[in-house]
Amino acid sequence: MSTATLTIDLDAIVANWRALNALTGCETGAVVKADAYGLGAARVGRALMRAGARSFFVAVAEEGAALRQALGPAPAIHVFSGHMAGDTDMIGDLDLIPLINSLEQMIRHVEGLPGHPFGIQLDTGMNRLGMEPGEWAALRDIALGQAPRLVMSHLACADEPDHPMNAQQLQTFLDITDGIDAPLSLSNTGGILLGPEYHFDLTRPGIGLYGGLPHADARPVASLEIPVIQCRNIEPGESVGYGNSFVTEEPRRIATISAGYADGVIRAMGPKALVFAGDEACPLAGRISMDMMGVDITHLSKDPKTLDLLGPHQGVDDVAGYAGTIGYEILTSLGARYARRYIGG
Ligand SMILES: *Cc1c(COP(=O)(O)O)cnc(C)c1O
């Protein structure tokens, strides 16, 4: 088999959720948008539910519908994009909680699904989603009269603890939620790590569950083992891969492995990336192709059967560093072609 194997450690996800939960005195939710950051929302959701998670968050109603089928009727499933045109039946039938982010959505919700649960999303400076303070001031009494399940906002700079934006958004959130008795939520993973004043009633960790920064103490969750398809010797002056970008000055042994940019091995990481044969690091040789890449294995004592891109020696943030991106993008880029293997849970 030449398909690479992505192993997802559900016990590590549960341990990471518990570790974040232990940092707060409030409820800990779980963000499972984008198929749980590429790791499988149904499997991840079920494992977290068994561990005690009761509140889940997704980006769009379709994700919420799929999650409801996987988790059954018990947990609360919140939708960040709120109540969009065309979503009314799905929100109603599958008991989703839209996080209403504008007056227009509020009207759509109360007209389309009178009495159906909803939450409120407020903008505190990120200018991405949520009602602006002025819009909220006009709507506040009407919305609070309908008993929202949650009132939330989102931090723009939570992964930079010293950034003044954090305190500024916290103060804005305190101001615009003053006197509200609905449950409040402000923090993603980074917000949890900022300290108790950011926790409120419910936290919304995502990346910290999946082993990524800023949850530096997280247990690694994903490992990726890529089969070697072929090995060959090359002589001085010979090149490897498209564009002849790698030309050797001495004899080398090159392995061709079965994953490429179509599998989320971002092409831009090319010249810097390493893969591992057990404990031994091996540099890539030449450009990353769509389905394959070359690896310099000259220093290994024997040809490996597989090489690891993600594993004990290299996590999602290391790999992100090669491409100048973040662990979130590495995880959500993980290809659909991988055989996914779950352990634990
Ligand atoms: C994605 C997201 C989260 C989770 O953020 P992490 O940084 O992955 O913990 C929480 N809240 C909102 C609104 C989000 O969009």
Side-chain angles (χ1 to χ4, degrees):
M1 184 171 95
S2 60
T3 307
T5 303
L6 179 68
T7 302
I8 297 149
D9 185 345
L10 294 170
D11 288 343
I13 295 177
V14 166
N16 292 336
W17 183 81
R18 291 200 169 116
L20 292 171
N21 187 43
L23 295 178
T24 75
C26 67
E27 183 185 348
T28 301
V31 178
V32 294
K33 64 193 181 191
D35 202 24
Y37 293 37
L39 299 178
R43 296 296 298 262
V44 168
R46 283 197 291 265
L48 289 174
M49 210 167 89
R50 278 195 294 275
R54 302 189 307 278
S55 295
F56 292 86
F57 293 84
V58 294
V60 299
E62 285 79 1
E63 291 178 342
L67 190 66
R68 176 64 73 206
Q69 314 281 4
L71 301 187
I77 300 177
H78 306 80
V79 180
F80 287 136
S81 60
H83 192 143
M84 296 288 285
D87 286 350
T88 303
D89 287 348
M90 209 166 4
I91 289 169
D93 295 347
L94 292 156
D95 194 18
L96 308 178
I97 303 177
L99 295 164
I100 301 295
N101 51 52
S102 65
L103 172 61
E104 183 194 356
Q105 287 203 353
M106 191 74 220
I107 293 168
R108 182 178 297 128
H109 187 73
V110 296
E111 287 182 350
L113 293 170
H116 185 91
F118 67 96
I120 294 284
Q121 190 161 190
L122 302 176
D123 182 59
T124 49
M126 189 175 182
N127 287 309
R128 190 178 70 168
L129 273 186
M131 294 183 213
E132 302 268 327
E135 195 179 12
W136 174 233
L139 205 65
R140 183 181 151 121
D141 288 345
I142 300 164
L144 293 178
Q146 314 253 340
R149 294 291 182 90
L150 191 67
V151 176
M152 61 154 284
S153 188
H154 190 48
L155 297 166
C157 304
D159 54 350
E160 296 175 60
D162 298 330
H163 202 296
M165 184 71 166
N166 295 316
Q168 197 178 310
Q169 283 192 272
L170 175 61
Q171 191 55 53
T172 304
F173 190 62
L174 289 167
D175 291 344
I176 60 181
T177 58
D178 187 36
I180 292 181
D181 59 9
L184 302 178
S185 176
L186 180 62
S187 283
N188 61 346
T189 303
I192 295 170
L193 301 172
L194 292 178
E197 65 273 35
Y198 287 83
H199 296 165
F200 296 93
D201 300 299
L202 171 64
T203 60
R204 308 185 309 270
I207 193 72
L209 307 175
Y210 308 117
L213 289 174
H215 190 194
D217 301 331
R219 264 173 64 181
V221 166
S223 46
L224 181 62
E225 198 182 63
I226 305 171
V228 174
I229 307 174
Q230 192 181 21
C231 299
R232 76 182 70 246
N233 294 323
I234 57 168
E235 298 302 325
E238 287 197 280
S239 59
V240 178
Y242 285 122
N244 289 8
S245 65
F246 177 92
V247 180
T248 188
E249 285 167 11
E250 56 214 72
R252 284 182 195 275
R253 189 153 180 82
I254 301 294
T256 300
I257 65 174
S258 181
Y261 61 78
D263 304 296
V265 184
I266 297 172
R267 192 172 168 279
M269 69 173 74
K272 293 191 204 135
L274 300 173
V275 292
F276 281 81
D279 296 333
E280 289 195 83
C282 307
L284 296 198
R287 289 189 191 156
I288 295 171
S289 300
M290 186 183 292
D291 321 297
M292 281 169 276
M293 51 196 161
V295 180
D296 186 347
I297 57 162
T298 312
H299 56 300
L300 300 184
S301 54
K302 66 176 178 25
D303 290 348
K305 289 210 160 37
T306 60
L307 288 163
D308 298 337
L309 181 66
L310 295 171
H313 297 293
Q314 183 163 271
V316 290
D317 290 291
D318 302 311
V319 170
Y322 299 141
T325 182
I326 53 177
Y328 298 71
E329 188 178 6
I330 298 300
L331 284 174
T332 55
S333 301
L334 291 168
R337 272 196 294 208
Y338 298 139
R340 281 170 162 69
R341 189 169 73 95
Y342 289 89
I343 54 175

